[in-house]
Amino acid sequence: GLGVIAVPAASLEMGLPDDGAQPKSTTQRQAYDTLSEGFGPGFNGPLMIVMDGKGSSDAKAAAERVRDEIEGLGVVTVTPATFNKAGDTAMITVIPKDRPSSHATEEVVHDIRDAGKDIKADTGAEVLVTGATAMNIDFSQKMNDALLPYLALVVGLAFLLLMLVFRSILVPLKAALGFLLSVVAALGAVVAVFQW
């Protein structure tokens, strides 16, 4: 039974919800839906691109290259670069096609960062992605990366402690596996109820 309940945990998505997860009666959700209907779902999660052109010989040309690369990723809007007074740092706003918490928007963030590596190699300008949407994506990635090591550490230490107490391998193994199965089943139930 626990194994069946644990199955949905395979599609667990970690991270912070956007206003689209709020109840429909709240003003946050109503504003979110109105913006999505009026301007598209990506308008709720713009990406802020910062180009540090201090290492580049031509910051304006590097900014144009950044814009061209991002437009090629199939986003809705890429604003013209806004430079600081010194002319060596630019800010570009990008509106993705999909909602902030979608996999497609996450792919856009990763694609921009990958393109930024090539741009830095070619022009010397560094491309950084920030904004609430990018921070939520980074937070989700950190949580996903930490989940398995955390569970392994907790279950491993529990197994060692039970081995010392019971002076056996079978009893601690059953207890550790039972604990692990119950944790995964709890996560599976949460996914089934709240994500699905």
Side-chain angles (χ1 to χ4, degrees):
L2 283 176
V4 171
I5 296 170
V7 169
S11 62
L12 175 68
E13 293 178 17
M14 304 282 274
L16 301 171
D18 55 32
D19 285 338
Q22 298 288 333
K24 290 188 177 186
S25 61
T26 64
T27 58
Q28 297 95 327
R29 175 63 183 272
Q30 291 167 7
Y32 180 95
D33 291 342
T34 302
L35 286 172
S36 292
E37 291 165 12
F39 299 98
F43 196 80
N44 283 301
L47 303 172
M48 188 67 61
I49 312 301
V50 178
M51 189 213 66
D52 182 0
K54 291 176 187 146
S56 174
S57 59
D58 188 355
K60 291 196 187 310
E64 281 304 311
R65 165 107 186 261
V66 171
R67 277 194 82 230
D68 292 344
E69 291 276 345
I70 295 172
E71 283 177 343
L73 298 176
V75 296
V76 173
T77 305
V78 182
T79 64
T82 304
F83 281 88
N84 64 346
K85 286 183 182 179
D88 59 6
T89 302
M91 181 178 67
I92 300 168
T93 302
V94 176
I95 307 296
K97 284 184 180 177
D98 293 298
R99 60 190 173 84
S101 58
S102 71
H103 290 292
T105 301
E106 184 177 341
E107 288 300 316
V108 167
V109 170
H110 293 307
D111 291 344
I112 292 171
R113 288 178 174 159
D114 290 342
K117 293 174 188 171
D118 295 336
I119 291 169
K120 184 171 184 178
D122 294 344
T123 67
E126 188 172 7
V127 179
L128 307 164
V129 184
T130 187
T133 300
M135 287 189 286
N136 286 346
I137 289 168
D138 293 341
F139 175 78
S140 299
Q141 189 61 50
K142 290 279 187 195
M143 293 295 289
N144 283 334
D145 293 345
L147 183 62
L148 287 179
Y150 170 75
L151 285 176
L153 180 68
V154 169
V155 172
L157 289 175
F159 178 74
L160 290 175
L161 184 63
L162 290 171
M163 263 181 44
L164 291 172
V165 171
F166 289 105
R167 299 183 191 277
S168 166
I169 291 180
L170 187 59
V171 171
L173 184 62
K174 274 178 58 177
L177 290 176
F179 169 72
L180 187 60
L181 187 58
S182 67
V183 168
V184 176
L187 291 173
V190 168
V191 169
V193 171
F194 294 105
Q195 269 183 231
W196 289 4

